[in-house]
Structures are given as structure tokens and as C-alpha cells.
Amino acid sequence: MSDIFTKYKTSINGLSASEVQKRQTESGLNQIEEKKPTPLIILFLSQFADILIALLIIAAIASFAIGDIIDAGVILLAVLLNVIMGFIQEYRSMRAVESLKGLITKTAVVKRDNEINEINAEELTIGDIVILEEGLKVPADLELIEAKRLSCDESNLTGESESVKKEANDTLYMDSNILSGNAVGVVKAVGMQTEIGKIAGIVQEEDEETPLAKRVGRLGKILSAIAIAVCIAIFILELLKGIPIVETFMTAVSLAVAAIPEGLPAVLTLTLALGMNEMAKSKAIVKRLLSVETLGSCTVICSDKTGTLTENKMTVVESFYTNEDKTHLIGKLCNNAVISHDEIIGDQTDGAILRYCRGHDCNLERVDEIPLDSNRKMMSTIHRLDSENNIVLSKGAPEIILDKCKYIDNDGNIEILEAETKQMILEKVGEMSGHELRVIGFAYKIRDENEDETNLTFTGLLGLMDPPKKDAKKAVSDCINAGIDVVMITGDHEKTACAIARELGILTNGKIITGAELEELSEEEYLKIAKDIQVYARVKPAQKMRIVEALKKLDNIVAMTGDGVNDAPALKKASIGVAMGNGTDVAKEASDMILQNNDFTTIVKAVEGGRKIYDNIKRFVKYQVSTNVGAILTIVGTSLLNLPLPFNPAQLLWLNIVMDGPPAQMLGIEGAERDIMQRPPETGDILTKNTLLQILFLGLVMAIGTIAVFSWKIYCGADTKNAMTVAFTLFVVYQLLNAFNGRANSEKSSKFLYLGIIISFLLQLLILYIPQLQIIFRTTPIGIMDWIVIALVASTILIAQKIMDKVMK
């Protein structure tokens, strides 16, 4: 005790008033500090500092400049939706800190100047002597000077539901609940230096960009660079041909609007929002829009064991009796757990035994208790048997119980416990332990003049475990088939963790490492073996962040589960943090997704949903970019061939509406591909090399077909207006059939795509045959022969896709 007083420069009488003031000046108050929050208006305006958003605004201005108010309005609406979503995502990190601040205990009982008083907990400082008793919350990080039968609940911090026994020199963490006993401790850390304070510092850091955000950003830069270069080239070419500068400018601007994928944010928002809604039905609440897709790209899922892969319900699964009735009697009475509304209140092991034994009725009054402690590893209760006798009921570690036993109860026959019988029971204990069960021994005696826990009579053993969830093994198998590594991270014992991991198929030929072993590894040593580790046992929640950072350094996209306050840093650092529905508010605020049912199978469903969303995003991007490329190549080709431009600015804008309209939107809600969970995760760019080759090929087919039909019409003597109308209509039909190319190979293919194509085709007919729209778009009605040519030539896009599919196999 004196060593602790020396360490913190305090005494049994506590600090003096002057010393308290001095230390508060040095260490600060016991409060969670917030970074100065960004003003909401600045936070909102900062969302516009994005390359794609900037390009969309330019496109909207350009559309407005050439009189297309509707298109400008649609673009600005897409901009606004994306800005609002970004603003909400950043604002939520402030709420995580607010949740942490709510954990700070308001008052504390402290001894200063040899007087005990209740003070505002914010006034605590290092060296203060704090007095704790059952029902109180720990107001700061404390080192215990003394502890009497002390147990506490650290689940808010650690996520582990079992009560923790504490003794002198142990540490108590801020926000832990005192379940039983009393204690005196000295404050070792306050405010931001406590474990919760350190967590607060991490959760206030800015979120990293999601993989999808990075990919969309890269795509936006590439497409914008191409669009700008082409527009400048077209502007120069048209000027050199002697076309008036105003008309040339209008064409270049219109081409820019057609080339920039302003429909991308709208389709992204729609697709992700629908994905969020679908996942919510599966009990996965996604808080961050772009994170919906991130799970589909993840390469590693780091999962907690308890409650996620297992039932989080200790269960008796094996038994060995010499007297079953007596064993059940002891299990029920030598027990401090309570079952209320089918929920266990108290120690989970006691609760499991009580649940297993509670059918055995008895009414023996308890008169005393010898509580469990870490040295004795057993507990006993004394009950009134009759007016003259009391009975001692004991349970605990089987080796300890057997050492205390002199007798054995063989179904009512009390015999001396022979060495051979004792060895046989120990072998049974070893067998049950080999199945990774927690084994509890049971014994009793009629109370006599001797010590209560000697000369006991043995009655049996119970083996308990937290069993795996029934669907967890299949879910793990689905992940492995999908190329995703599953890593178990648990605070449980190594043997128990390995047994569950082997049963679920997580532990195959990989390594197992404990938290203590991890602590000994340098960063370089750890990175060399991190990819081979399949099970982490006896891990402190604070080590989870190191695991996440190491896996990310190895180019993984990491999903991490957690529920405690000190899981928050790992949840924040992970590519996607997954909080449990029964977890702390801080864990939920720091995460990207919340599992309402705490079930690993829900994560796997979310992975499938994320992959479907990413497939649909790629589908849309491929469709739109191939259209953009086709339009650019068509205009560049006609300029080089010294032909009139086949599209006027209004028609280019109409193409843009058709491209970004119903067909594109419907591609964003296609069903899942049949092989969606039998292929590795996709971690590359949206436009892969193969996709780019397909886009160029399809764009070239559209350009050649359009230029050929346009040239043919002019060669046949058609006026420019009619030739442009046919070329324009052909290009629209190309887009509609190209959307058909984008269908998913799915068991649940969306029928909405066909509806989108039909709607777009009907709209095209309106601008061809309604006089008022003919004036706006400078179109003219076309005859049946033109429609036959359009149908035949446009069908080449279907043939082109089939060719590319075979070439790419």
C-alpha cells in the first residue's frame, strides 16, 4: 500500500486542498475534451471541394447557358443530394464524442485532508483517494489500495459480459460498474489520459475515404480530363472549319455535358440507398451511405467470438454424476445468479448452471456464504437443513473440489473417495476439458466442527461452453468461398478460442496468437506473420486497432466487429466498423454498420449485398462511359471526315438525359449475379483494363455505325436535318440496346430495366413526331425504311457485346 502512496505522491488521508489545485492545473480536469468543432456552415460548404462535384456544377452552368433549364436542375439536385450525404457522414463523428462525454460519472466520493466528501467528478485529480461501494460507477482510472469481495462490470469498455473480480493493485477503469463489494483506490489517470479519454481522441479523428469514394474520385478525374481534352480539340477543329465561334462553343459545351457522368452521383445515391434499405430488412443498419459497398470489397472480416459467432449464452453440454439429484441441488442453491424473464442477471456461468438445475425444487434457507476468489477457485454456501444441522454446498474448479473431498456419494451410498476413483474422475475432467469445456465440480457435507470446506462429499461434474450459432459454420464457409479471410479475435482462453474456431472452419492451417505474444512482437515482426494469423486469443480490446492497422498495411479492406467503448478506435480505423446491436452507444457511433441481431450470418448477407451494389455501379459506369466514348468518337470522326456534326447541342443534351435516365437508373437495381459469392473480392478500379477495352470497342461500334448511316443518308440526297435525325435516333437506340447488354446474370433479374428501355424509347418517339418538340430538337419524322436500317445497325451492339464476352473469357 505504501508503494502506491509513494507512486502517486499521496497518503491514506488524501490530498490537501492546495495540492488538489496544483495538480488540477498540471493535469487538467477529469473531463472528455472535444476538438473545436467545425462550424456547420463550413462543414457543409467543404463538401463542394470535390472534383466530381465541381465538374457537375460546371455541367449545370453549361446546361443553363445553352437554355436547358431542366437538365441543369437535375444536375444540381444530384449535387445537393451528395453534399447533404457527405455533411451527415461527417457530422456523425461529433455524436460519438458526445456519447463518450455522457459516460463520465457526475459525482465521486473522495477522501481529502482526512475528510470524506462527495464532489463533482470533474474535480478529481491524480492522487485522489476514491471510495467505492456496490452500485457506484468508477469516476476515473484507479489503482486499488484495498478491495473486499469486489467484482465489477467492465462490459461497456471491454464488451465482455462476465463480471470481473478485482483485488488490491488491480486497475479499475472509468465507467465500470461496481457489482458487489467495496474498495478504496487512488486516481491514476483523469480526463483524456484515461482509457476512455484516449478512445475519445481517436474517435474524433476524421474518417478515411471509403474504397468506393476513392474509386469514384479517380474515375471522375480520368473522365473529366478526357472530356476537357476532347472539348478543346472539337472546339479547335470546328473553328478551323470556319464554323461560327458561338455555334462551336455551344457544341463543345454540349459535348462536355454529354461526356461528364453527372448521372453517376444520382445512380450512386439511388443504388446505395436501396442497398441500405435491403440490408436493414436483414437486421444490418448501415449508417454511412458509401459503406454499403465497402463490405462487398472487404478481404478480411475480423470477428469477435462471443455473441457474434457463438450464442453468448454459457450452456451445460456435458455431465458426469455420482449423484445427479444432489449435484442439481448444489447447482441451484450454491449460486448467486438470478433468472428474470428468461434473462440471466449475474455471472453467466452461475446462470447457465441455474438454468440447467432450476427444475429441482428445494427450500433450504441460506445462512452464510464463502464467496469465490481467485486463490481458492471455489465458492460455498451454508443452508439450514433442519433445526439442528446446516449443510455446506460447494462448487468450483474440479481439481480443487476433489482435493477437498474425503467421500463420494454414489446415489445415496456415502463411501470413502479412493485414490483410484479420484484418478478416474480426474481423467473424466481431462476428457471434458479436452472438448474445451469449462468444467465445474460439485460437493457437500453436513456442517461439523471442522472447517467448512474440508472433508466434502463429491457428487458430480458439469461441463459448460458458449456454443457456436447454428448458421455460423455455413456463413464462415460462404466467406472462404468468396475469397474472404475470417479472423477470430477474442478475449477468451486460447484453447476455447481454438476449439470454436476449428469447429467453425476458421482455424485451418493458420497461426494462433495470444494478446501477450502480440505485445512482444515488433511492428516488423508482426507484419511478417499477420496474414497467416487466423485466431487471436486473450486479446485486449485496445490491441484490436493494431490488428486492423497491420491488415490494412498489407493492402486488405478490413471489416471489424465490436461492442465495447474500447472497441471504438478499431471500429473507427477499420475499412468498415460493425457494431453489435446490444453494444455501447460509443461503439455504434464510431461504426459504419450496426448488426441488430449480433449475428455473423448478417455480415455475410451484407457482403453479398455490397457486392451486388458494386456490380450494379460498374454496370452503370460501363454503360454510360461507353455511351460517352461513342458520342465523342462520333463527333471527332465526323469532324475529321469533314462531315457536318451529326448531333446538335439540344440533341446531345437529350442523349445525356436518355443515358442518365430510366435505363441507367434501372441498371443500378439489377439482381445479384449467380456467382456473386464464389469469386474473390474486387479491390481494383471501377474501370478495369478489360472493362476499358469493352468500352472502347462498344464506343467504336456505335461511332462507326452512326457515322456510316449519317454518311449514307447524306450520300442518298437526304437533307442535313433528316440525316441528323436518323443518326441521332440510331444513337439513342444504340444506348437502349447497350443497356440491355448490361443485364445481370441473376436468378432475380430486375424487370424494371425493360420498363426503363420502353419509357426511353417512347420519349424518343415523342420528339420525333410531336411538332412542338421537333422545333426544340430540330428533328423530322422518319419513315419505316429508316427504322429498319436503325434496327439492323443498332443490333450490332448486341453482337459486339457477345464477341467481347467470348474474347474476355
Side-chain angles (χ1 to χ4, degrees):
M1 186 184 298
S2 60
D3 290 343
I4 295 178
F5 291 142
T6 303
K7 181 178 177 182
Y8 296 104
K9 297 178 183 177
T10 188
S11 71
I12 192 65
N13 297 325
L15 300 173
S16 65
S18 59
E19 185 64 21
V20 167
Q21 193 170 9
K22 178 185 172 186
R23 294 192 183 194
Q24 285 176 344
T25 304
E26 291 173 353
S27 305
L29 294 175
N30 183 35
Q31 59 188 11
I32 300 298
E33 298 171 6
E34 287 183 82
K35 289 182 180 177
K36 189 176 180 181
T38 305
L40 294 183
I41 186 64
I42 301 297
L43 194 65
F44 181 77
L45 293 175
S46 67
Q47 306 306 313
F48 290 91
D50 176 87
I51 182 68
L52 196 58
I53 295 295
L55 286 168
L56 294 182
I57 292 170
I58 292 169
I61 293 169
S63 297
F64 186 79
I66 58 177
D68 193 83
I69 308 300
I70 294 174
D71 208 31
V74 169
I75 296 169
L76 289 175
L77 181 61
V79 168
L80 191 60
L81 280 172
N82 282 270
V83 166
I84 290 170
M85 291 307 302
F87 172 75
I88 291 170
Q89 289 161 18
E90 291 195 30
Y91 179 68
R92 74 184 180 86
S93 64
M94 298 180 189
R95 294 176 58 196
V97 182
E98 288 171 10
S99 298
L100 278 168
K101 288 182 75 176
L103 297 176
I104 303 298
T105 307
K106 303 300 181 187
T107 60
V109 178
V110 65
K111 190 175 186 182
R112 290 176 177 171
D113 285 326
N114 205 27
E115 290 185 5
I116 297 174
N117 290 296
E118 186 174 63
I119 65 168
N120 188 323
E122 285 190 358
E123 296 174 14
L124 283 175
T125 191
I126 293 170
D128 262 327
I129 306 299
V130 176
I131 298 166
L132 297 166
E133 60 184 31
E134 185 177 325
L136 293 180
K137 272 195 171 189
V138 181
D141 285 1
L142 310 177
E143 188 168 339
L144 290 174
I145 300 168
E146 58 182 70
K148 295 178 182 176
R149 298 182 180 180
L150 185 70
S151 68
C152 66
D153 174 10
E154 295 181 343
S155 59
N156 272 353
L157 190 65
T158 66
E160 299 295 331
S161 57
E162 290 194 11
S163 61
V164 181
K165 308 295 180 185
K166 295 285 185 176
E167 299 175 354
N169 299 313
D170 286 348
T171 297
L172 279 180
Y173 297 104
M174 180 189 282
D175 190 48
S176 298
N177 295 301
I178 304 301
L179 298 176
S180 63
N182 53 69
V184 178
V186 60
V187 175
K188 64 184 290 187
V190 295
M192 298 301 286
Q193 297 308 309
T194 62
E195 289 302 307
I196 284 180
K198 292 172 185 174
I199 291 165
I202 294 170
V203 299
Q204 291 185 76
E205 294 175 4
E206 290 185 12
D207 287 330
E208 290 184 12
E209 270 194 315
T210 65
L212 181 59
K214 291 175 183 176
R215 293 170 190 166
V216 171
R218 282 196 297 268
L219 177 65
K221 289 174 185 176
I222 292 167
L223 295 180
S224 61
I226 293 170
I228 292 167
V230 169
C231 290
I232 293 171
I234 291 295
F235 184 76
I236 293 170
L237 278 172
E238 293 292 287
L239 270 181
L240 292 174
K241 289 166 64 176
I243 295 172
I245 190 167
V246 174
E247 189 177 335
T248 301
F249 175 75
M250 288 297 189
T251 301
V253 169
S254 301
L255 184 58
V257 173
I260 294 170
E262 59 265 29
L264 179 56
V267 173
L268 271 178
T269 302
L270 174 67
T271 305
L272 295 173
L274 289 171
M276 285 177 74
N277 185 55
E278 197 171 318
M279 288 182 187
K281 293 175 184 176
S282 301
K283 305 297 183 184
I285 307 300
V286 180
K287 297 168 55 192
R288 194 177 176 196
L289 198 62
L290 286 173
S291 296
V292 176
E293 179 276 335
T294 307
L295 261 176
S297 304
C298 82
T299 56
V300 179
I301 298 176
C302 295
S303 176
D304 187 22
K305 175 181 75 70
T306 307
T308 308
L309 293 166
T310 65
E311 296 285 356
N312 193 20
K313 186 187 289 183
M314 290 298 288
T315 306
V316 176
V317 295
E318 195 170 337
S319 59
F320 170 80
Y321 302 116
T322 59
N323 188 316
E324 182 175 352
D325 288 339
K326 287 279 177 59
T327 300
H328 285 193
L329 176 73
I330 299 163
K332 180 175 181 182
L333 295 179
C334 184
N335 199 313
N336 288 327
V338 175
I339 297 178
S340 175
H341 304 292
D342 207 37
E343 291 294 321
I344 294 170
I345 300 171
D347 183 82
Q348 294 295 304
T349 300
D350 271 7
I353 293 170
L354 183 62
R355 194 188 296 276
Y356 187 70
C357 301
R358 65 175 171 170
H360 296 260
D361 293 329
C362 54
N363 295 301
L364 298 181
E365 177 191 354
R366 183 187 290 197
V367 295
D368 201 1
E369 176 185 347
I370 307 171
L372 174 72
D373 67 46
S374 57
N375 294 320
R376 291 171 41 258
K377 295 184 179 176
M378 63 182 292
M379 75 172 285
S380 299
T381 54
I382 295 93
H383 299 261
R384 196 177 307 284
L385 191 61
D386 52 42
S387 58
E388 296 181 4
N389 297 303
N390 289 340
I391 188 169
V392 179
L393 307 178
S394 300
K395 78 174 191 297
E399 298 86 353
I400 302 292
I401 292 289
L402 281 167
D403 282 343
K404 302 280 187 181
C405 286
K406 184 178 179 179
Y407 306 100
I408 185 168
D409 186 335
N410 286 314
D411 289 328
N413 296 318
I414 311 302
E415 302 170 358
I416 296 291
L417 180 60
E418 302 289 351
E420 295 83 4
T421 306
K422 183 176 180 179
Q423 184 58 38
M424 181 272 292
I425 296 170
L426 286 172
E427 287 174 4
K428 185 64 181 176
V429 171
E431 181 186 323
M432 293 168 77
S433 297
H435 298 155
E436 311 306 339
L437 303 182
R438 180 180 295 176
V439 186
I440 307 294
F442 296 82
Y444 73 96
K445 79 168 185 176
I446 304 301
R447 197 174 196 185
D448 53 29
E449 299 299 321
N450 298 315
E451 291 182 18
D452 288 333
E453 294 181 331
T454 60
N455 299 329
L456 300 176
T457 301
F458 180 82
T459 67
L461 306 169
L462 292 179
L464 302 92
M465 72 179 298
D466 179 12
K469 290 184 175 176
K470 61 180 182 179
D471 296 326
K473 187 171 184 178
K474 182 182 183 303
V476 170
S477 174
D478 288 344
C479 283
I480 292 167
N481 290 336
I484 302 167
D485 294 328
V486 180
V487 176
M488 178 192 285
I489 303 176
T490 179
D492 216 332
H493 294 278
E494 184 178 353
K495 284 187 176 180
T496 305
C498 289
I500 296 291
R502 282 197 183 95
E503 185 173 344
L504 293 175
I506 293 172
L507 183 58
T508 50
N509 56 356
K511 296 179 183 291
I512 308 107
I513 191 170
T514 64
E517 291 167 339
L518 178 59
E519 199 76 37
E520 296 295 317
L521 294 175
S522 68
E523 195 64 20
E524 188 177 342
E525 290 170 332
Y526 177 40
L527 284 172
K528 284 181 181 177
I529 64 168
K531 68 178 185 301
D532 300 319
I533 299 172
Q534 294 178 323
V535 176
Y536 292 85
R538 304 301 284 172
V539 168
K540 299 173 185 174
Q543 292 175 313
K544 286 186 177 182
M545 191 166 75
R546 186 182 180 193
I547 296 168
V548 168
E549 288 176 332
L551 291 170
K552 287 176 74 175
K553 283 179 184 176
L554 296 171
D555 296 326
N556 286 296
I557 294 174
V558 184
M560 168 68 77
T561 68
D563 52 10
V565 169
N566 60 353
D567 288 332
L571 294 172
K572 181 84 172 179
K573 290 287 184 183
S575 308
I576 181 162
V578 182
M580 301 297 109
N582 62 355
T584 60
D585 289 341
V586 179
K588 291 175 185 177
E589 291 295 346
S591 67
D592 304 292
M593 187 171 89
I594 299 168
L595 296 187
Q596 288 185 305
N597 57 3
N598 301 352
D599 199 332
F600 187 80
T601 55
T602 305
I603 301 177
V604 180
K605 288 177 185 174
V607 168
E608 183 175 345
R611 289 190 172 193
K612 183 181 84 169
I613 287 164
Y614 190 51
D615 282 349
N616 287 341
I617 290 168
K618 288 196 302 178
R619 236 182 287 283
F620 164 75
V621 170
K622 178 188 170 186
Y623 167 70
Q624 185 169 36
V625 175
S626 60
T627 301
N628 293 347
V629 169
I632 290 167
L633 290 177
T634 301
I635 291 173
V636 171
T638 51
S639 290
L640 292 174
L641 292 170
N642 207 27
L643 291 168
L645 291 180
F647 315 129
N648 60 49
Q651 290 170 350
L652 277 171
L653 288 170
W654 178 253
L655 284 173
N656 201 39
I657 292 169
V658 170
M659 288 185 286
D660 298 343
Q665 300 287 337
M666 296 309 107
L667 282 173
I669 57 173
E670 278 287 281
E673 296 280 341
R674 294 174 191 271
D675 67 342
I676 198 162
M677 292 298 282
Q678 281 81 48
R679 66 188 197 215
E682 294 190 44
T683 56
D685 286 333
I686 294 173
L687 295 179
T688 62
K689 184 180 176 182
N690 282 350
T691 305
L692 282 170
L693 287 173
Q694 289 191 55
I695 285 169
L696 286 171
F697 184 62
L698 294 174
L700 192 60
V701 168
M702 286 187 271
I704 291 171
T706 304
I707 293 170
V709 170
F710 184 56
S711 303
W712 169 72
K713 288 294 292 182
I714 291 174
Y715 179 77
C716 292
D719 60 36
T720 304
K721 189 175 183 180
N722 179 257
M724 287 179 69
T725 301
V726 172
F728 167 50
T729 304
L730 169 61
F731 201 84
V732 167
V733 176
Y734 263 136
Q735 308 327 306
L736 301 181
L737 294 181
N738 196 27
F740 188 77
N741 280 334
R743 290 171 306 160
N745 178 20
S746 172
E747 294 175 358
K748 298 178 181 178
S749 187
S750 170
K751 300 295 184 286
F752 291 106
L753 178 61
Y754 302 100
L755 180 62
I757 291 171
I758 291 167
I759 289 171
S760 293
F761 183 71
L762 292 174
L763 290 173
Q764 180 66 17
L765 291 179
L766 293 179
I767 69 169
L768 292 182
Y769 296 106
I770 293 181
Q772 291 83 353
L773 293 176
Q774 290 173 358
I775 295 168
I776 296 171
F777 291 98
R778 285 181 280 172
T779 56
T780 183
I782 55 177
I784 187 67
M785 285 305 298
D786 288 329
W787 278 114
I788 292 170
V789 170
I790 287 168
L792 290 173
V793 175
S795 65
T796 58
I797 201 70
L798 300 174
I799 298 167
Q801 184 62 58
K802 295 289 184 187
I803 292 169
M804 290 304 295
D805 289 341
K806 288 189 176 181
V807 170
M808 295 298 176
K809 277 187 179 179

